[in-house]
Amino acid sequence: MSRTLETYLAAVKATLTSAICLENCASQVVERHNKPQVEVRGSKELLLQPVVVSRNENERVLIEGSINSVRVSIKIKQADAIEEILCRKFMRFLMMRAENFFVLRRKAVDGYDISFLITNFHTEQMYKHKLVDFVIQFMTDIDKEISEMKLMVNARARVSAQAFLAGFP
């Protein structure tokens, strides 16, 4: 792992760890409702300042916090058109199966590829450091997966091109 990636992931981990200090907060408008304030955006006093941790212009994480929830949006590095297509298709595949992931949102925030929503109920049921480790592990694994898929696509294209050109003398 490169030095810049290590510092980037360490910064995301530290910021996310400090942002996940969540507590139960009932709605101030409707009785017996408890919605994620980062999604509802009903009261300014319940929201924290959004933080962007950026490795470069193509790779960044937006952490939006509130009193009872944190939304983590990730922009994944896409160097060329093939990586953009692979990333879009893979993220769509994951978001269609969001019910299998407890913290994954069905729709990403505009300008980002995928988003997670961590609420106070998640921190009550799961360990905080395990949630942070899951997001960090996801960030490292997704880059590897997209790189591997790109290599496989290029290998398949090379084989099919050779098979097609073999027919010409």
Side-chain angles (χ1 to χ4, degrees):
M1 199 178 330
S2 69
R3 170 76 79 206
T4 58
L5 181 61
E6 288 177 10
T7 56
Y8 171 64
L9 292 176
V12 170
K13 185 173 184 175
T15 308
L16 195 55
T17 301
S18 63
I20 302 183
C21 293
L22 307 175
E23 63 182 46
N24 194 8
C25 178
S27 173
Q28 296 176 338
V29 180
V30 181
E31 187 176 338
R32 304 184 106 195
H33 277 227
N34 191 343
K35 304 237 175 173
Q37 291 298 321
V38 75
E39 297 278 327
V40 175
R41 297 205 173 272
S43 302
K44 295 273 188 196
E45 64 270 5
L46 299 178
L47 299 174
L48 298 173
Q49 195 69 20
V51 177
V52 177
V53 180
S54 179
R55 183 176 180 196
N56 55 38
E57 61 273 354
N58 297 329
E59 197 171 1
R60 63 184 182 271
V61 175
L62 172 67
I63 300 172
E64 301 170 285
S66 71
I67 193 165
N68 66 351
S69 57
V70 173
R71 182 168 52 196
V72 181
S73 302
I74 302 171
K75 175 79 172 144
I76 299 166
K77 176 187 66 165
Q78 300 160 18
D80 57 2
I82 293 175
E83 285 185 4
E84 288 177 16
I85 293 168
L86 289 172
C87 181
R88 187 176 63 240
K89 295 291 186 185
F90 192 52
M91 293 306 121
R92 186 170 165 262
F93 173 82
L94 288 175
M95 287 187 280
M96 287 177 64
R97 289 148 182 82
E99 64 274 354
N100 296 334
F101 301 96
F102 292 112
V103 295
L104 186 63
R105 289 185 73 225
R106 281 209 173 270
K107 186 159 179 6
V109 174
D110 290 336
Y112 291 87
D113 297 316
I114 195 160
S115 294
F116 297 99
L117 179 68
I118 301 170
T119 64
N120 63 308
F121 300 116
H122 294 129
T123 58
E124 290 171 1
Q125 295 171 355
M126 301 176 228
Y127 292 116
K128 176 178 149 181
H129 66 279
K130 294 286 187 183
L131 286 169
V132 173
D133 289 343
F134 168 74
V135 172
I136 299 298
Q137 188 66 41
F138 178 84
M139 290 173 64
T140 55
D141 288 348
I142 204 70
D143 284 338
K144 292 177 188 172
E145 286 291 325
I146 290 176
S147 296
E148 288 174 9
M149 283 191 281
K150 184 179 176 183
L151 290 173
M152 290 190 312
V153 166
N154 287 338
R156 290 175 78 187
R158 187 179 312 108
V159 168
S160 62
Q162 288 174 346
F164 178 73
L165 294 175
F168 297 106

